[in-house]
Amino acid sequence: MKFGWIDLRGVPTEQHDAVIEAALHVKIEGIVAEDEERLAALPPTVKRVLLPAAQQFPTADAPDGAGERPGHDIRLTRLESPDDLDRLRLTVAGTPHEPAAFIDVTDDPTLKLACAAAIELPYTVVQFKDPTKIPLEIVIAAADKTPGQLVCQADDLEEAGIILDVLEKGSEGVMFAPRDANEVFAFAELLRTQTPHLDLTTLTVRSIEHNGLGDRVCVDTGTHFAEDEGILVGSYAHGFVLCVSETHPLPYMPTRPFRVNAGALHSYTLGMDGRTNYLSELKAGSPILAVGADGRTRRVVVGRIKLESRPMLTIKAVSEDGTEVSLMVQDDWHVRVLGPGAAVLNVTELKAGDQLLGYVSTEKRHVGWPVKEYCVEK
């Protein structure tokens, strides 16, 4: 789970109380301010991060008041040169303070300073002058194997989302100044970037039926699928088959590792937050869930949907607990699904008794959302 810090320095004064209340409600990890008195009033459930307005190195003194809670949990020191990093290191040596830095990256020397700090310090906050994310990629790569936490400042929610996806992993934290409480809630939702691990099940094929002409959907994404990855697709909202991407070689056409030949346009695919979407609803920019044969998942984005009329066939299968699963796909040898052990299976060669990988949901659906209600699909 990524973490977020709310930066009060950029929040309108009249919105401070509402923003703090919202941040505490959604359990934002930290609140940043340059006013230590403002931070001291916050409860112990949130990290209080002090960022003085000017460069100010911590003193070697013990925290405020013996036995009392100090006015902050983390103190960020503004660093402008390698000498500053050395001075910070020496200043906090042998004291209760943890060294933490704020670096404004404006050129190559400050970029190198940010890399050095991210490698060494428990917390490094970076902001970038230019809109390119190349400097952030460099800092993330430099600090990849280190235990410290990298926090990147975002100017708005859109940039926060981009920061979280840089180099697929993003920075560990994002610092953001919301305009109001609504943006705090949106920020908290954005931080929920982890997708769930799914417990896939083994399905046993009962029958294969050739249906004649229908409309099938290819889902083209902006992502290169792994060889054991695809998307979960099914005719019923409670049961899905793992359709593999066109990552594997074919004799008559080049591989298309961004594509899943997914199924008929009425089919469901399992997406974010446990919600389903009809394949016919997807469009460029839609988020969907890529699923591996081991149950790992990740968010991917649709680049386009390609719908064409083709001969179709229906795979009917049953799960280990007796749940009926159905999938209608293009009736062609090059359309494939995954079996146990990530075995790649051509749909036209399937027969009764063959085993597939799938997923069974115990909840029914209403406009894609899981609900506990009576519903029959057949």
Side-chain angles (χ1 to χ4, degrees):
M1 176 71 76
K2 303 291 186 178
F3 67 85
W5 287 353
I6 294 298
D7 186 3
L8 287 181
R9 299 173 308 145
V11 177
T13 304
E14 66 275 12
Q15 294 291 332
H16 274 202
D17 290 342
V19 163
I20 290 173
E21 183 177 349
L24 296 175
H25 178 75
V26 295
K27 297 180 171 58
I28 291 290
E29 179 172 300
I31 293 179
V32 182
E34 57 187 21
D35 180 358
E36 189 154 14
E37 291 184 6
R38 184 61 153 164
L39 292 175
L42 297 175
T45 54
V46 64
K47 277 191 174 71
R48 300 160 307 156
V49 184
L50 179 65
L51 177 53
Q55 188 182 64
Q56 182 181 337
F57 286 83
T59 66
D61 298 333
D64 316 359
E68 296 180 9
R69 185 172 180 238
H72 61 272
D73 301 301
I74 299 170
R75 182 194 186 97
L76 297 172
T77 301
R78 296 175 182 270
L79 303 185
E80 299 171 359
S81 71
D83 289 343
D84 289 340
L85 179 56
D86 292 338
R87 181 181 173 188
L88 175 62
R89 188 190 305 113
L90 292 172
T91 301
V92 301
T95 76
H97 299 293
E98 272 195 320
F102 177 89
I103 301 170
D104 187 6
V105 178
T106 59
D107 52 21
D108 186 58
T110 50
L111 175 59
K112 290 177 179 175
L113 175 62
C115 291
I119 290 169
E120 183 173 341
L121 303 181
Y123 288 97
T124 301
V125 180
V126 290
Q127 72 172 11
F128 297 94
K129 179 188 71 172
D130 298 314
T132 174
K133 294 298 177 285
I134 298 299
L136 177 57
E137 293 178 11
I138 293 170
V139 180
I140 290 173
D144 186 43
K145 304 298 183 183
T146 61
Q149 304 290 293
L150 178 65
V151 184
C152 185
Q153 180 173 301
D155 290 334
D156 51 41
L157 285 168
E158 183 178 18
E159 186 177 20
I162 294 171
I163 288 168
L164 291 169
D165 285 337
V166 170
L167 288 187
E168 295 187 17
K169 59 172 289 182
S171 59
E172 287 84 5
V174 178
M175 187 168 77
F176 168 62
R179 291 174 295 181
D180 52 35
N182 289 331
E183 288 201 342
V184 176
F185 293 115
F187 183 46
E189 185 65 25
L190 194 62
L191 292 169
R192 294 175 58 239
T193 56
Q194 288 187 330
T195 55
H197 185 279
L198 297 178
D199 293 324
L200 300 184
T201 189
T202 299
L203 308 174
T204 301
V205 176
R206 282 192 167 176
S207 66
I208 302 293
E209 300 173 3
H210 300 273
N211 307 123
L213 197 65
D215 293 334
R216 70 97 169 98
V217 176
C218 283
V219 180
D220 291 350
T221 71
T223 298
H224 192 299
F225 284 95
E227 291 185 353
D228 69 338
E229 272 187 319
I231 64 175
L232 288 165
V233 187
S235 292
Y236 308 148
H238 63 260
F240 307 84
V241 175
L242 186 51
C243 297
V244 71
S245 68
E246 295 185 8
T247 307
H248 301 272
L250 294 163
Y252 306 111
M253 56 199 306
T255 59
R256 294 182 173 91
F258 54 83
R259 170 176 294 175
V260 178
N261 192 323
L265 81 167
H266 75 278
S267 307
Y268 292 106
T269 185
L270 188 65
M272 306 296 294
D273 298 320
R275 185 177 184 179
T276 57
N277 290 100
Y278 292 117
L279 294 182
S280 60
E281 293 176 338
L282 299 180
K283 59 186 178 181
S286 296
I288 58 172
L289 207 60
V291 182
D294 59 357
R296 72 185 187 280
T297 66
R298 62 188 175 105
R299 177 183 180 273
V300 298
V301 178
V302 174
R304 71 163 181 165
I305 294 298
K306 188 166 176 274
L307 187 151
E308 295 167 314
S309 294
R310 294 288 188 271
M312 307 294 285
L313 65 79
T314 296
I315 305 166
K316 292 188 176 180
V318 63
S319 71
E320 294 166 316
D321 66 359
T323 302
E324 300 282 345
V325 176
S326 177
L327 172 65
M328 181 181 284
V329 295
Q330 182 179 345
D331 190 347
D332 194 280
W333 178 85
H334 79 275
V335 180
R336 295 160 164 177
V337 294
L338 285 177
V344 180
L345 307 172
N346 305 313
V347 296
T348 54
E349 296 180 351
L350 292 175
K351 59 186 183 300
D354 286 345
Q355 292 188 324
L356 314 176
L357 278 179
Y359 177 72
V360 172
S361 171
T362 58
E363 296 170 310
K364 306 306 180 183
R365 304 280 165 171
H366 180 64
V367 294
W369 292 106
V371 294
K372 294 186 182 300
E373 67 174 4
Y374 178 74
C375 178
V376 176
E377 296 176 287
K378 62 181 181 179

